Amino acid sequence: MLREAEIEAALPWTGAPLHFTTDYYSPAELDVAFAHWQFLNSGVLGAYSLSHMWHRAAAVPGGVQVGAHGFDMFNADLRCLTDSHRHVNCECIGDHLYHPVCEPCEWHTITTGENVAVEAWHDHAIPGWRDLPIVPAHIRIVDNSMRPTQRAREWVEEHYPDHMRFPGAPIITERPTMGHRHVPGRSPWAGYDLSHTAVDPDRLVPAAKPTTRARRARPTPEVRRTPAPPAGPGIGD
């Protein structure tokens, strides 16, 4: 009864729609709208699927400022909820959508894939990124603490132009087998580590420099037969 009284006492809602929308709303407006839906439907499980509203994307930072642009990523789940809808005549929209937003420009787009959404935002905010050199797969980008390695820093400083090295700037890395997700925060400038599959997959990647590891020389038979010197003081003792 107390909960019903709180809902009845709430002021009429005038914010972003409490359902799916393709119109532009700021990240703050989308956050408040989803929170209000949860308030009106307290205790209901599956808010993402039931509301069909835009909510913050998992594993993607929000409120990121890159130069004059902003980056926020939202999801909306429009997929079927029950097995009874999983048939050829289903009228559900039926997709898990991605919605990158640049608030300073009031720019946004809607896609059916995370990578496509990330690429669209980079096209908007960082034109020319598709022409960046592809970091070869043999260059380790981050260490065990997820910090950029010295080798990665040296490689991009040598090959990336000055105007594409700034806070939030991306890199493109070769992904020869699996793991083609664009990873946020993994470039040396805390920008995206973009998979090379976003650009021309056949673009030549600089070949790995041959590395030769010095082998320990095998002793000759004469040396192997030489008895070890007696124990005693050596240099520095």
Side-chain angles (χ1 to χ4, degrees):
M1 293 177 62
L2 292 175
R3 186 63 184 168
E4 292 176 357
E6 290 178 350
I7 294 176
E8 290 178 2
L11 297 174
W13 180 248
T14 58
L18 302 179
H19 52 73
F20 177 72
T21 180
T22 59
D23 295 333
Y24 173 83
Y25 289 92
S26 71
E29 289 174 315
L30 295 177
D31 288 338
V32 171
F34 185 65
H36 189 68
W37 188 97
Q38 291 178 304
F39 164 74
L40 296 176
N41 299 271
S42 178
V44 175
L45 299 178
Y48 293 168
S49 300
L50 291 171
S51 69
H52 300 310
M53 294 177 64
W54 294 114
H55 54 273
R56 291 283 176 172
V60 179
V64 177
Q65 196 72 20
V66 181
H69 299 279
F71 176 77
D72 290 270
M73 182 75 81
F74 291 85
N75 287 142
D77 193 345
L78 307 182
R79 295 172 293 187
C80 294
L81 299 178
T82 63
D83 290 337
S84 62
H85 284 200
R86 302 178 190 277
H87 53 76
V88 64
N89 297 320
C90 176
E91 295 182 359
C92 291
I93 299 176
D95 265 317
H96 188 225
L97 303 180
Y98 292 82
H99 178 43
V101 178
C102 175
E103 185 175 6
C105 302
E106 295 189 355
W107 173 94
H108 72 128
T109 191
I110 298 172
T111 74
T112 57
E114 181 184 8
N115 275 11
V116 178
V118 171
E119 294 162 23
W121 182 86
H122 280 81
D123 287 337
H124 162 72
I126 311 178
W129 71 269
R130 293 180 182 271
D131 298 323
L132 290 173
I134 298 172
V135 183
H138 74 275
I139 301 291
R140 186 178 182 183
I141 302 302
V142 294
D143 59 21
N144 294 334
S145 300
M146 297 304 294
R147 294 174 299 188
T149 64
Q150 183 65 29
R151 185 91 181 275
R153 288 185 179 277
E154 292 173 352
W155 197 95
V156 295
E157 287 175 4
E158 179 182 354
H159 295 87
Y160 273 47
D162 291 340
H163 71 279
M164 294 300 280
R165 288 186 275 160
F166 54 86
I171 58 173
I172 304 178
T173 56
E174 180 188 13
R175 313 282 184 85
T177 53
M178 299 182 295
H180 294 153
R181 179 180 181 254
H182 301 328
V183 183
R186 214 171 71 156
S187 85
W189 311 285
Y192 263 87
D193 173 359
L194 302 164
S195 169
H196 81 283
T197 53
V199 295
D200 182 0
D202 297 326
R203 190 202 292 181
L204 291 177
V205 176
K209 294 182 180 180
T211 57
T212 57
R213 183 175 297 176
R215 293 185 176 181
R216 190 174 181 179
R218 297 183 62 185
T220 61
E222 291 76 10
V223 172
R224 288 201 295 266
R225 288 195 294 268
T226 302
I235 298 177
D237 294 337

